[in-house]
Amino acid sequence: MKPRTAEILREFGPFPEVDAVHGVGFDGRRVWFASGDRVNALDPDSGEIVDAVEVPAHAGTTFDGAHLFQIAEAVIRKIDPRTGKVLATIPAPGGGGDSGLAWAEGSLWVGQYRERKIHQVDPDTGAILRTIDSDRFVTGVTWIDGELWHATSQADASDIRRIDHRSGAVLDRIDMPAGIGVSGLDSDGGGRFFCGGGTSGKLRVVRRPA
């Protein structure tokens, strides 16, 4: 495997009243990003925030086709994005140490930051179904076309990597430029990754390798 250097296609933000981006999810049209006390919906073409849901939002964000799932502290909330109503709450596997959230194959996939793990979680009960180990701090998780990708950040270096979902072996790696971290990760299913920029308050678009 030969690491690649990330190609940043576009940057959004920083945004008014957004101190940090904590999680990122794409619903097919809009990029939802968590910023502490709300989840914001960004139009990735115009760069404008077009909607928001007022809910605690301290870590991963994802969309299952109908609902938002949002981590805050030690819980994952299932939210109706049209009304903002919280429909259900389950425990987060890391008990507050979670970072990264994705939906795939009827399950939630949750990164556990310092423990360097990714858990497959039952979305109804919060039960851990299985766990994949990483060798770096996990800061984002996403599935694309049956492939599991996750973001890392450690020792002032960050990358986006495709891993074998059975063994955890790294199959592909995109190195972020020095000083740029990733906090939250999702994709448009095509050639773009959407990456949270942590305390920079930015959201970046990175080219996904063909």
Side-chain angles (χ1 to χ4, degrees):
M1 179 200 66
K2 182 179 180 181
R4 312 162 190 257
T5 300
E7 181 182 355
I8 297 175
L9 302 174
R10 192 170 179 183
E11 283 190 346
F12 302 108
F15 305 95
E17 302 180 359
V18 171
D19 296 327
V21 176
H22 300 295
V24 176
F26 184 62
D27 71 4
R29 294 185 301 118
R30 300 169 297 180
V31 183
W32 292 85
F33 68 90
S35 62
D37 56 1
R38 68 179 188 268
V39 191
N40 310 273
L42 177 104
D43 180 331
D45 295 321
S46 70
E48 299 294 324
I49 293 177
V50 295
D51 198 0
V53 173
E54 303 288 334
V55 66
H58 304 146
T61 307
T62 193
F63 185 74
D64 71 351
H67 310 100
L68 285 171
F69 289 83
Q70 179 60 55
I71 298 175
E73 304 297 349
V75 300
I76 302 172
R77 291 181 173 87
K78 181 180 180 180
I79 303 159
D80 183 335
R82 297 168 301 175
T83 65
K85 183 178 180 181
V86 176
L87 304 175
T89 301
I90 60 173
D98 310 273
S99 180
L101 183 61
W103 173 270
E105 303 174 336
S107 296
L108 291 169
W109 297 76
V110 186
Q112 192 174 358
Y113 177 61
R114 287 195 175 278
E115 283 65 25
R116 308 172 191 179
K117 297 181 183 300
I118 299 169
H119 303 288
Q120 181 183 7
V121 171
D122 184 313
D124 295 320
T125 67
I128 297 174
L129 305 176
R130 68 181 174 115
T131 297
I132 302 168
D133 291 318
S134 177
D135 61 0
R136 288 176 56 81
F137 295 160
V138 177
T139 60
V141 182
T142 190
W143 280 85
I144 314 166
D145 297 334
E147 297 178 339
L148 179 58
W149 293 76
H150 78 90
T152 82
S153 186
Q154 193 169 331
D156 297 324
S158 188
D159 62 45
I160 303 168
R161 49 180 57 187
R162 179 169 62 90
I163 64 171
D164 186 311
H165 64 86
R166 294 170 293 271
S167 67
V170 180
L171 305 176
D172 201 353
R173 197 182 88 204
I174 304 168
D175 292 333
M176 296 298 288
I180 294 182
V182 178
S183 62
L185 177 70
D186 206 350
S187 165
D188 65 354
R192 297 182 295 178
F193 284 116
F194 300 112
C195 304
T199 54
S200 72
K202 294 183 178 181
L203 183 79
R204 297 183 174 92
V205 182
V206 172
R207 186 184 301 281
R208 177 191 168 206

